[in-house]
Amino acid sequence: MAAPMLRGCCLARRGALACIDGGSRHGRGAAIGCRSSGKRGRSSVAQQPLITAQKSGKGEHAWAAVVGLEIHAQISSNSKLFSGSQVQFAAPPNSLVSFFDASLPGTLPVLNRRCVEAAVMTGLALKCHINKKSLFDRKHYFYADLPAGYQITQQRLPIAVNGSLEYSVCVGKKRSQVITRTARIKQIQLEQDSGKSLHDELRSQTLIDLNRAGVGLLEVVLEPDMSCGEEAATAVRELQLILQALGTSQANMAEGQLRVDANISVHHPGEPLGVRTEVKNLNSARFLARAIDSEIERQINELENGREILNETRSFDCKLGFMPEPNLPPLLLYDTASLPPGADPQQVINIDRIREQLPELPSETREQLVQQYGMLPEHSFTILNEVGLLEFFQNVIKETRAEPKKVTSWILNNFLGFLKQQNLAVNESPVTPSALAELLNLLDRKAISSSAAKQVFEELWRSKGKTPSQIVSEKQLELMQDGEALNQVCLAVMEEHPQVVLAMKRGNPRAINKLIGLVRKATLSRADPTVIKEILEKKLSS
Amino acid sequence: MLGRTLREVSAALKQGQITPTELCQKCLSLIKKTKFLNAYITVSEEVALKQAEESEKRYKKGHSLGDLDGIPIAVKDNFSTSGIETTCASNMLKGYVPPYNATVVQKLLDQGAVLMGKTNLDEFAMGALGSDTGGSTRNPAAHCGVVGFKPSYGLVSRHGLIPLVNSMDVPGILTRCVDDAAIVLGMLAGHDPKDSTTVQDPVKPFTLPSLTDVSKLCIGIPKEYLTPELSSEVQSLWSKAANLFESEGAKVIEVSLPHTSYSIVCYHVLCTSEVASNMARFDGLEYGHRCDIDVSTEAMYAATRREGFNDVVRGRILSGNFFLLKENYENYFIKAQKVRRLIANDFVNVFNSGVDVLLTPTTLREAVPYQEFIKEDNRTRSAQDDIFTQAVNMAGLPAVSVPVALSNQGLPVGLQFIGRAFHDQQLLTVAKWFEKQVQFPVTQLQELMDDCSSVFEIEKLASVSLKQ
């Protein structure tokens, strides 16, 4: 379920939050909007979001919100971060647990190479500085799903720092203006995932499944550079796409492979930042934006009513500091220059090699689409944002002679429209790329009219297995190829409706459309309206 | 036979003078007779007899696995042994039967050793006779007149050794003579992929040379180890040992380890911190003791840990947690780490100045009688007994205690040699030479048994276990 591309900003429930730019403020309460700078073209601007509260009789006080994110992505690897047990979704409970995962006394962690490579790849893709030396720590707290009583993480010196995540916002009246925003990345660290606990209220017991305990996670910490729920959701979506392109995480939120915690505060512009609260474990793209915006709204309400913001998570925060993990030596990475001579390639990781082998990133893919297919930038976002749509698009392109722009238009308007209407994902579509390609080919060589094409398309959704050609012949939608016959029909219609012809002669624009309609009816919609219009106009002028 | 060296026994087995089963049964019988000493927590009689039987088969075919085949061994009860209860002498792990062998245990079994059982220790190895974390291989060795060897940190795998202080723990080897220790080290040393703190360099089994000429050797005597608490007897033996080396042509010089006085406190901070962390896993959920309370998870944790741990353990956990608190971390833990670095550097500097091996006492005095022993609290005792041994653990160096003489009370006294990191072989070579010079009498078990006969009468009382 892709988050919609950011349009203006912050559409939320009850209309309390609305875009300032071209939108309108509804009713009372706070209105949140992210105002565009008004500049044309792309720009990286640190936006000053403006949230205005309306208080009866007291005038307006502007509020600004600040959102930071901690994103946990499960690393896509065969085995866990520090042990050899398998990583697999939905396996029988406690079937993927090694002695180390169960914290049996005397067991020791052994670092998984693939996880380190995944961290380096992700750091490079996010323009981070890769620390050639990083350290592992223990973070202590007691919880049933944490067998050792501590989590091994990288707090002091993580593997990557100081990067940035670019995401794009569409603003403007027609939302056709693409603005790039940047969220700084504070750090990326490797750490263990915890197990799962299921609370059985009925029997007053808690069931623990340790399958997930010890799975490798990448924690990506984004600085509080975002200003509302939609910005955060867009940033998360972009990160998802990057991780999926790299193959370092499948980043499927529904399966818990990507989880987001948001840190949120509000303040008056020009004043210091407010008290932060945390919204934890958001695992749905859709609810992410809403949850964040709700929290912003709640904070504003509290403050406006003279109350304080309480940081509840902090009170449960473990007071124990970190302790270095003594069983893991410092993690040392090399580049080509610093690689020790004669080093066993199995034992060392070369950052330069990994950089060379980075696959194409989403931003590059989008740029390609724009260059190669003449697509508008905002369309390239939509194609990438919808799961599976890029592949679908590319498959159609392969099999059709139609112009890329035509393909784009059909995919974004017709195809995507039907998907949304029927609430389907791309991979659930009854229409295959081949089918659409065939349809576009028919249209391209003018075997059918565009309205006929739409009819066929509709039919394709309903009846599985039929090809467009089959539908065309069943419904007799082929365009009349016989020019002379069409000529005759036009003449006949004109003769039958002299008043309309007269109206046409007098310059009534609706008259010609009426005639076209009549001709179409007479030809059982098998004539191309454009061609009909041409013939009629010719006749008129003669 | 039970008083012979490893090599002697091994030769006897090969020549058929005694069979592994006979040897095993003799051992078992002696274990039963000395049961009042509570030396064993678990005696693995069935397992041992089975292993002895298999060893016998191999000897009959002439396919013995090596020097250790058929040799009875005992393993401290903080090493994980598959299928055999492993308790760390704690309620917390009562009934815990591990599903895997510690690497060092596996290596010994692969060599055909016969596992007699799991020996007693202070709960989680936290007593004055501590752990091989602060000297508990060397200290008991000195008190009992045997060789106690602590290898360099990183030389021998800790996988399966239930940890006390991960950054200092080392599996230690207790044997009758230095040669035997070298044989066992040869089998145990080497990189273990399951333990990321073991060094990668390959280790080859070696035979200790019999040194005859010590004129090229430089022995260092750390002056800070001459403390007022040192008993005059031990001091005198230490002196004699130094003179011995000198008279045989070695260079013997006084050296300084200036940060010695800080090592006890530093050790205490780091030890309790790591302990607090390592004990966090004992929550009664996955294995080991679980209390009967099931009102809530927190209540269950609290009761389980209160029931499962004794005072000493709980005290250390609390101390460690204190040092690990965010507001204390910098001032205690980090500071202690820095002091540790200084202590380690003291040794580096000394070894860099041409010293090959350091010679120090192992303990302040001979073994303390039980009645006197129980008078002081654990912390004081640890401070006293570990004073010569624990800086070595902080520096990760190899060290060995060699029995020297009997005290006026007739109890053994040992001296300690400390070597350069990963120069274990050199260290043991020097120790072997010294052992030959000293000719400490081999413990005569029969005499011991006769002396102990009076103790049989108060057998029930004499739970000489060091559990509180």
Side-chain angles (χ1 to χ4, degrees), chain A residues 99 102-110 138 140 142-144 147-150 318-324 326-327 329, chain B residues 96 99-100 158-162 166 193-197 274 277-278 280-281 285-287 301 321 324-326 329 333:
Chain A
F99 298 152
S103 81
L104 291 193
T107 52
L108 300 169
V110 181
R138 293 183 181 179
H140 300 89
F142 281 105
Y143 204 69
Y150 57 84
C318 182
K319 294 197 174 63
L320 277 190
F322 292 83
M323 192 189 89
N327 292 318
Chain B
Y96 169 62
Y100 77 99
R158 289 183 299 112
H159 169 73
L161 167 59
I162 296 170
N166 287 289
K194 294 190 191 125
D195 178 355
S196 306
T197 60
E274 282 209 39
S277 179
N278 288 332
R281 66 186 57 209
L285 273 176
E286 296 85 11
Y287 46 80
Y301 283 163
N321 280 335
L324 289 176
L325 286 173
K326 280 181 187 156
Y329 186 72
F333 190 85

Side-chain angles (χ1 to χ4, degrees), chain A residues 82 109-111 136 152 325-330, chain B residues 196-197:
Chain A
F82 294 118
V110 181
L111 186 54
F136 289 100
I152 301 179
E325 170 54 68
N327 292 318
L328 291 169
Chain B
S196 306
T197 60

Side-chain angles (χ1 to χ4, degrees), chain B residues 46-332:
Chain B
E46 266 178 49
V47 167
L49 286 169
K50 184 151 176 281
Q51 288 169 348
E53 198 185 307
E54 274 155 29
S55 172
E56 201 159 310
K57 285 185 195 152
R58 287 191 291 268
Y59 273 110
K60 284 209 175 108
K61 288 189 190 153
H63 292 153
S64 84
L65 292 168
D67 282 337
L68 224 52
D69 201 341
I71 301 291
I73 59 163
V75 164
K76 188 165 162 183
D77 204 21
N78 57 357
F79 284 93
S80 185
T81 43
S82 182
I84 299 175
E85 191 179 355
T86 300
T87 67
C88 292
S90 174
N91 244 353
M92 190 58 92
L93 287 177
K94 197 165 175 185
Y96 169 62
V97 180
Y100 77 99
N101 276 327
T103 298
V104 292
V105 171
Q106 191 60 53
K107 285 186 174 186
L108 292 172
L109 294 176
D110 289 343
Q111 291 289 320
V114 175
L115 181 60
M116 303 307 297
K118 309 298 291 299
T119 58
N120 210 340
L121 61 157
D122 262 64
E123 185 167 334
F124 280 110
M126 289 192 207
L129 284 194
S131 45
D132 22 37
T133 301
S136 85
T137 299
R138 291 158 284 155
N139 285 9
H143 285 143
C144 298
V146 295
V147 171
F149 170 59
K150 176 210 165 296
S152 299
Y153 184 89
L155 192 58
V156 179
S157 171
R158 289 183 299 112
H159 169 73
L161 167 59
I162 296 170
L164 178 64
V165 183
N166 287 289
S167 66
M168 299 186 203
D169 289 348
V170 172
I173 300 168
L174 288 151
T175 53
R176 271 188 211 96
C177 65
V178 176
D179 239 351
D180 288 357
I183 292 173
V184 177
L185 177 67
M187 289 169 190
L188 297 183
H191 176 64
D192 181 8
K194 294 190 191 125
D195 178 355
S196 306
T197 60
T198 53
V199 290
Q200 303 274 348
D201 305 332
V203 173
K204 281 173 285 189
F206 50 86
T207 323
L208 278 187
S210 296
L211 205 59
T212 44
D213 174 21
V214 292
S215 57
K216 296 197 185 71
L217 214 55
C218 177
I219 307 289
I221 310 287
K223 65 181 186 193
E224 290 84 2
Y225 281 41
L226 181 62
T227 68
E229 294 86 15
L230 186 60
S231 82
S232 50
E233 266 185 315
V234 177
Q235 188 179 344
S236 157
L237 287 167
W238 186 19
S239 226
K240 282 191 189 148
N243 292 340
L244 173 65
F245 275 100
E246 205 163 36
S247 66
E248 291 295 317
K251 184 168 163 205
V252 178
I253 56 171
E254 186 188 76
V255 296
S256 175
L257 299 168
H259 297 93
T260 299
S261 58
Y262 303 116
S263 75
I264 301 252
V265 169
C266 175
Y267 176 80
H268 175 72
V269 173
L270 295 177
C271 177
T272 51
S273 300
E274 282 209 39
V275 160
S277 179
N278 288 332
M279 296 296 130
R281 66 186 57 209
F282 297 108
D283 54 15
L285 273 176
E286 296 85 11
Y287 46 80
H289 173 67
R290 189 198 283 210
C291 68
D292 289 327
I293 295 175
D294 57 1
V295 163
S296 72
T297 318
E298 285 76 24
M300 197 268 286
Y301 283 163
T304 295
R305 288 164 72 81
R306 189 178 56 247
E307 291 169 16
F309 292 135
N310 74 5
D311 285 340
V312 174
V313 177
R314 294 212 303 276
R316 291 211 186 175
I317 294 173
L318 287 169
S319 299
N321 280 335
F322 174 80
F323 298 132
L324 289 176
L325 286 173
K326 280 181 187 156
E327 63 251 30
N328 292 331
Y329 186 72
E330 186 74 36
N331 288 332
Y332 290 94

Side-chain angles (χ1 to χ4, degrees), chain A residues 236 240 251-260 282-285 288:
Chain A
V236 168
Q240 241 182 336
N252 181 333
M253 286 183 93
E255 288 185 9
Q257 292 160 341
L258 192 79
R259 302 181 310 251
V260 181
L282 298 161
N283 57 1
S284 151
L288 203 149

